[in-house]
Amino acid sequence: MRTYIGHQQAVSAEDFVELALGTPVELWLGVEGETDEERAARLDAARDILADPEYSNLPDDVARIAAEVIEAHAPELFNVVPLARSAGRRRSSRKGAAA
């Protein structure tokens, strides 16, 4: 089965992320072995995109996508429970107590 987002076919997870964000993932994460000049140019382009009103929701979209992926693939990360403290152990309230 083929999946299309708009007129673009999404073949891999990277394609889905790029099409969802509207920018290539490498723009934000960089690529292995990039030079200082390439990194500076990439970061300048990223700043320009973030300043564009069309992309004003991009940080929220990225957080939402990341949370959805984590929830789908590692739901136990969202199951937070408080740990019980042992009755015999207390935190030291003295200043300068050795750690």
Side-chain angles (χ1 to χ4, degrees), residues 9-92:
Q9 182 178 5
V11 178
S12 66
E14 289 81 15
D15 289 345
F16 280 103
V17 172
E18 182 173 335
L19 291 169
L21 296 177
T23 61
V25 175
E26 293 81 12
L27 176 67
W28 309 104
L29 302 179
V31 293
E32 190 174 331
E34 71 183 354
T35 65
D36 290 341
E37 292 85 14
E38 291 168 332
R39 182 175 190 273
R42 177 178 58 77
L43 293 177
D44 283 343
R47 276 191 280 285
D48 289 345
I49 287 172
L50 290 174
D52 187 332
E54 180 181 342
Y55 289 97
S56 64
N57 292 332
L58 187 62
D60 293 335
D61 291 344
V62 170
R64 179 185 45 76
I65 291 168
E68 288 172 359
V69 168
I70 292 168
E71 187 174 31
H73 296 286
E76 64 277 3
L77 293 177
F78 285 109
N79 294 332
V80 178
V81 294
L83 298 175
R85 285 194 176 171
S86 171
R89 292 188 58 172
R90 288 188 172 185
R91 284 183 161 178
S92 174

